PDB file of all heavy atoms in Angstrom:
ATOM      1  N   SER L 745     163.579 158.327  41.518  1.00  0.00           N
ATOM      2  CA  SER L 745     162.125 158.206  41.693  1.00  0.00           C
ATOM      3  C   SER L 745     161.751 156.816  42.206  1.00  0.00           C
ATOM      4  O   SER L 745     162.526 155.859  42.082  1.00  0.00           O
ATOM      5  CB  SER L 745     161.419 158.447  40.364  1.00  0.00           C
ATOM      6  OG  SER L 745     161.683 159.741  39.877  1.00  0.00           O
ATOM      7  N   CYS L 782     144.606 159.044  42.490  1.00  0.00           N
ATOM      8  CA  CYS L 782     145.540 158.504  43.483  1.00  0.00           C
ATOM      9  C   CYS L 782     146.585 159.546  43.860  1.00  0.00           C
ATOM     10  O   CYS L 782     146.907 159.718  45.041  1.00  0.00           O
ATOM     11  CB  CYS L 782     146.203 157.243  42.932  1.00  0.00           C
ATOM     12  SG  CYS L 782     147.403 156.477  44.042  1.00  0.00           S
ATOM     13  N   LYS L 802     156.724 174.345  48.999  1.00  0.00           N
ATOM     14  CA  LYS L 802     155.993 174.160  47.754  1.00  0.00           C
ATOM     15  C   LYS L 802     154.508 173.967  48.003  1.00  0.00           C
ATOM     16  O   LYS L 802     154.106 173.281  48.942  1.00  0.00           O
ATOM     17  CB  LYS L 802     156.566 172.964  46.992  1.00  0.00           C
ATOM     18  CG  LYS L 802     157.990 173.217  46.488  1.00  0.00           C
ATOM     19  CD  LYS L 802     158.554 171.980  45.830  1.00  0.00           C
ATOM     20  CE  LYS L 802     159.992 172.255  45.365  1.00  0.00           C
ATOM     21  NZ  LYS L 802     160.653 171.048  44.900  1.00  0.00           N
ATOM     22  N   LYS L 809     153.757 168.782  40.102  1.00  0.00           N
ATOM     23  CA  LYS L 809     154.652 168.840  38.949  1.00  0.00           C
ATOM     24  C   LYS L 809     155.834 167.890  39.095  1.00  0.00           C
ATOM     25  O   LYS L 809     156.435 167.468  38.100  1.00  0.00           O
ATOM     26  CB  LYS L 809     155.159 170.266  38.757  1.00  0.00           C
ATOM     27  CG  LYS L 809     154.099 171.245  38.266  1.00  0.00           C
ATOM     28  CD  LYS L 809     154.662 172.648  38.175  1.00  0.00           C
ATOM     29  CE  LYS L 809     153.593 173.662  37.766  1.00  0.00           C
ATOM     30  NZ  LYS L 809     154.121 175.047  37.758  1.00  0.00           N
ATOM     31  N   THR L 874     164.222 137.029  37.203  1.00  0.00           N
ATOM     32  CA  THR L 874     164.914 137.934  38.136  1.00  0.00           C
ATOM     33  C   THR L 874     164.279 137.916  39.522  1.00  0.00           C
ATOM     34  O   THR L 874     164.231 138.934  40.206  1.00  0.00           O
ATOM     35  CB  THR L 874     164.936 139.371  37.583  1.00  0.00           C
ATOM     36  OG1 THR L 874     163.580 139.859  37.491  1.00  0.00           O
ATOM     37  CG2 THR L 874     165.576 139.421  36.211  1.00  0.00           C
ATOM     38  N   LEU L 892     156.172 150.977  60.282  1.00  0.00           N
ATOM     39  CA  LEU L 892     156.722 149.673  59.938  1.00  0.00           C
ATOM     40  C   LEU L 892     156.525 149.307  58.468  1.00  0.00           C
ATOM     41  O   LEU L 892     155.450 149.485  57.911  1.00  0.00           O
ATOM     42  CB  LEU L 892     156.081 148.582  60.805  1.00  0.00           C
ATOM     43  CG  LEU L 892     156.698 147.177  60.631  1.00  0.00           C
ATOM     44  CD1 LEU L 892     158.094 147.131  61.219  1.00  0.00           C
ATOM     45  CD2 LEU L 892     155.813 146.109  61.244  1.00  0.00           C
ATOM     46  N   ILE L 916     163.902 157.356  54.519  1.00  0.00           N
ATOM     47  CA  ILE L 916     162.701 158.203  54.510  1.00  0.00           C
ATOM     48  C   ILE L 916     161.962 158.167  55.854  1.00  0.00           C
ATOM     49  O   ILE L 916     160.798 158.546  55.938  1.00  0.00           O
ATOM     50  CB  ILE L 916     161.741 157.828  53.360  1.00  0.00           C
ATOM     51  CG1 ILE L 916     161.156 156.424  53.548  1.00  0.00           C
ATOM     52  CG2 ILE L 916     162.431 157.962  52.016  1.00  0.00           C
ATOM     53  CD1 ILE L 916     159.958 156.143  52.660  1.00  0.00           C
ATOM     54  N   VAL L 947     136.662 135.750  74.654  1.00  0.00           N
ATOM     55  CA  VAL L 947     135.288 136.214  74.407  1.00  0.00           C
ATOM     56  C   VAL L 947     134.365 135.017  74.208  1.00  0.00           C
ATOM     57  O   VAL L 947     133.257 134.957  74.762  1.00  0.00           O
ATOM     58  CB  VAL L 947     135.240 137.143  73.173  1.00  0.00           C
ATOM     59  CG1 VAL L 947     133.791 137.483  72.818  1.00  0.00           C
ATOM     60  CG2 VAL L 947     136.014 138.426  73.442  1.00  0.00           C
ATOM     61  N   THR L 976     162.575 143.554  74.449  1.00  0.00           N
ATOM     62  CA  THR L 976     163.311 144.474  75.322  1.00  0.00           C
ATOM     63  C   THR L 976     162.616 144.624  76.667  1.00  0.00           C
ATOM     64  O   THR L 976     163.275 144.737  77.717  1.00  0.00           O
ATOM     65  CB  THR L 976     163.456 145.847  74.643  1.00  0.00           C
ATOM     66  OG1 THR L 976     164.147 145.691  73.405  1.00  0.00           O
ATOM     67  CG2 THR L 976     164.228 146.824  75.530  1.00  0.00           C
TER      68      THR L 976
END
Side-chain angles (χ1 to χ4, degrees):
S745 299
C782 179
K802 293 176 181 172
K809 289 177 183 176
T874 64
L892 186 70
I916 66 165
V947 173
T976 301

